[in-house]
Amino acid sequence: MAANENERFDQFAAVLATELLERTKKSMELLAPELQPCSKLPFVQTPSFVEFYAELVRVGILPVVLSRRPVRAIVGDVDWKREGREYLLTVLDDRSNAVFNAWDFAWDSLWDERKVSADSNANNASQEKKGFFSSLFGRKNQPKPERRPTNDDSEGGVMAGLHSMLTELSERRGFLPLFHDDVRILKGMPRVKPGRLAQAWKEISQYHHQEFYLSEKEQAKPGVTSECLQKWHYNLPDKIGEFLVLKAAVDLEHVNKPFIGKYIRQSARTQEEAEKGMPYLTVYWKTMSNPVVVQQTHTL
């Protein structure tokens, strides 16, 4: 690359990193409950995970994304300082854009445990990834795994993937262990538009107020809060709607244990289906306490 091409690529990389990180940070903040939950929450809804996620993306995901040829081709002759963000947004709105394809590839390549080959390119990559994992997960002082010969006569070792490492981290950071398919959530975060999340929560809160707090004449019909939750539950990206229902269970007074229990029963035909389709919501529901029933005493 010529000097001006390098400069333009650096500007593109900065715009891309800012857009992806700010978008995901805003979405996570909108999903995080304001009140104190009664038990651990999923990683995405835990404040301690937000900054960690940003660092994980910076050092483990973005370098892979930026190394992909179709992503580098986006740089073109755009003035990234002046009009870069507007142009990038048009690229990201295309469902099959190169950025998100590379983003998905990066997460998938780090997610599972895998054999590390001893050929020079793979070995260099593995050393970088091990260094990256060490800096994030505090493994600097742990002994390196012993290298053993494999069937193809090359040296190799098993390197832990992000799934096992994040699950291990969950105990220290106070969020629930991750399910294996949660990589879909992490990959999907930059596809979530914070404005749509804000709109969803505003509507849910309004229906909750109209159903439970207005006078009888102005009160909304019973069940509108549940209907609104279901609308957003199934119209937002994978698992994001479930997290929004969980946020309501923490922050909205009348979205209590009986309410969530009924909601789960209406949304799934069997307990197995509920635990598979709404795993975090069903885990949280089990920890919720039943509301205290205040008995009224009549005096003469």
Side-chain angles (χ1 to χ4, degrees):
M1 282 191 189
N4 61 338
E5 290 178 335
N6 281 328
E7 185 180 352
R8 195 159 57 241
F9 178 78
D10 290 342
Q11 291 169 358
F12 161 71
V15 171
L16 179 63
T18 299
E19 179 60 29
L20 293 179
L21 290 171
E22 286 190 358
R23 187 183 292 199
T24 51
K25 183 178 180 182
K26 284 178 184 175
S27 292
M28 288 182 186
E29 288 173 347
L30 286 166
L31 288 170
E34 293 182 9
L35 301 181
Q36 184 67 35
C38 62
S39 67
K40 289 181 181 180
L41 293 173
F43 54 103
V44 167
Q45 295 182 285
T46 306
S48 68
F49 187 79
V50 176
E51 292 305 321
F52 176 83
Y53 177 88
E55 188 63 16
L56 174 58
V57 167
R58 282 191 199 98
V59 300
I61 303 299
L62 281 175
V64 178
V65 171
L66 292 167
S67 71
R68 307 288 283 178
R69 187 175 297 173
V71 174
R72 299 175 79 88
I74 295 169
V75 178
D77 58 357
V78 177
D79 185 341
W80 288 98
K81 271 191 173 180
R82 295 182 57 187
E83 56 195 35
R85 182 173 185 268
E86 288 72 17
Y87 180 75
L88 180 63
L89 291 178
T90 64
V91 172
L92 296 181
D93 280 339
D94 184 342
R95 291 191 176 213
S96 60
N97 70 79
V99 171
F100 285 153
N101 287 339
W103 172 268
D104 292 349
F105 170 84
W107 281 104
D108 290 338
S109 68
L110 291 173
W111 192 245
D112 284 311
E113 292 186 348
R114 60 214 174 280
K115 289 280 185 181
V116 180
S117 166
D119 72 68
S120 57
N121 290 333
N123 192 49
N124 289 338
S126 74
Q127 291 302 321
E128 288 175 10
K129 288 172 184 175
K130 284 181 181 178
F132 140 63
F133 282 141
S134 296
S135 66
L136 283 179
F137 295 94
R139 294 182 166 225
K140 291 179 182 178
N141 298 324
Q142 290 195 10
K144 293 182 180 179
E146 184 182 344
R147 301 181 73 86
R148 296 179 183 174
T150 58
N151 292 334
D152 60 0
D153 295 324
S154 65
E155 287 188 339
V158 174
M159 186 168 71
L162 273 179
H163 173 241
S164 59
M165 287 185 150
L166 286 173
T167 297
E168 182 183 314
L169 182 74
S170 67
E171 296 180 16
R172 303 200 304 269
R173 292 292 184 105
F175 51 82
L176 290 171
L178 285 73
F179 294 97
H180 188 266
D181 64 357
D182 282 347
V183 68
R184 293 182 301 168
I185 302 168
L186 294 162
K187 290 193 296 188
M189 286 309 299
R191 292 171 167 90
V192 180
K193 294 186 176 179
R196 187 162 167 77
L197 267 185
Q199 177 193 351
W201 183 246
K202 181 179 179 182
E203 192 174 305
I204 292 164
S205 301
Q206 285 176 340
Y207 275 116
H208 178 260
H209 180 77
Q210 290 168 11
E211 181 175 356
F212 295 107
Y213 292 106
L214 294 183
S215 62
E216 193 173 340
K217 284 186 178 180
E218 299 175 314
Q219 202 169 34
K221 67 176 183 178
V224 294
T225 305
S226 183
E227 289 172 6
C228 186
L229 284 169
Q230 284 201 322
K231 166 191 166 181
W232 289 107
H233 188 165
Y234 295 106
N235 281 285
L236 287 169
D238 192 29
K239 297 296 179 193
I240 301 301
E242 179 185 344
F243 295 142
L244 211 55
V245 179
L246 209 162
K247 174 181 168 75
V250 179
D251 285 350
L252 302 182
E253 180 184 3
H254 294 278
V255 182
N256 51 22
K257 185 164 189 173
F259 182 105
I260 291 294
K262 183 178 179 182
Y263 180 88
I264 292 172
R265 289 193 299 274
Q266 290 174 336
S267 305
R269 290 167 296 182
T270 64
Q271 183 177 341
E272 273 189 19
E273 187 178 295
E275 290 178 352
K276 184 177 180 182
M278 298 171 280
Y280 288 115
L281 186 61
T282 51
V283 166
Y284 190 79
W285 170 75
K286 290 173 184 176
T287 68
M288 296 173 77
S289 58
N290 282 308
V292 177
V293 178
V294 180
Q295 292 185 341
Q296 293 184 339
T297 56
H298 299 277
T299 56
L300 293 175

